[in-house]
Amino acid sequence: QVQLVESGGGSVQPGGSLRLSCASIGNEFSANCVAWFRQAPGKEREGVAAIYRGGSGAIYYADSVKGRFTISQDSAKKTVDLQLSDLKPEDSGRYYCAGRRRGCTVDSSSGYGYWGQGTQVTVSS
């Protein structure tokens, strides 16, 4: 059984930065696509960024984070990281790592069969 574990959340002021990390524990993580989703209180979960770990290495971002967030793989650590920069209060929420075997998208959480417990990000002055 594969378990996803997120780390790196915290509280920062607007304009600040954080780096989130997603690690897999257990059996080999066979998901070809790893994504980050977030959910704020009272709002629906939304996709933030996704990376296809297969041949293409394609990367996808939600429009709201383009130019500010960067998703990447760390082959040595076997993690998928999300660099959050120029953070805004509306970026606050619980950030989840998720994985799926086929396809890759940030438009929907459907198809993602692997989920972590999330890490909290709070942006406030």
Side-chain angles (χ1 to χ4, degrees), residues 51-85:
I51 185 167
Y52 186 69
R53 303 196 307 166
S56 71
I59 289 175
Y60 309 87
Y61 293 106
D63 289 342
S64 59
V65 305
K66 282 181 181 177
R68 300 188 299 120
F69 292 9
T70 303
I71 190 170
S72 62
Q73 297 186 76
D74 188 321
S75 298
K77 297 180 181 179
K78 297 183 180 180
T79 61
V80 173
D81 300 334
L82 185 67
Q83 178 69 41
L84 289 63
S85 302

Side-chain angles (χ1 to χ4, degrees), residues 5-9 19-23 33-39 45-51 60 62 65 69-72 79-84 94-99 105-106 112 115 118-119 121:
V5 179
E6 302 94 337
S7 61
R19 188 173 185 87
L20 309 183
S21 186
C22 173
C33 174
V34 177
W36 285 91
F37 288 78
R38 68 185 180 189
Q39 188 167 21
R45 187 172 297 186
E46 62 172 347
V48 174
I51 185 167
Y60 309 87
V65 305
F69 292 9
T70 303
I71 190 170
S72 62
T79 61
V80 173
D81 300 334
L82 185 67
Q83 178 69 41
L84 289 63
R94 194 160 188 85
Y95 283 68
Y96 299 88
C97 175
T105 181
V106 294
Y112 284 90
W115 288 90
T119 185
V121 171

Side-chain angles (χ1 to χ4, degrees), residues 92-117:
S92 296
R94 194 160 188 85
Y95 283 68
Y96 299 88
C97 175
R100 59 188 289 173
R101 294 184 178 178
R102 296 182 179 181
C104 204
T105 181
V106 294
D107 295 333
S108 173
S109 61
S110 176
Y112 284 90
Y114 303 95
W115 288 90
Q117 294 299 308

Side-chain angles (χ1 to χ4, degrees), residues 1-13:
Q1 185 174 357
V2 174
Q3 180 181 0
L4 299 181
V5 179
E6 302 94 337
S7 61
S11 296
V12 296
Q13 294 183 342

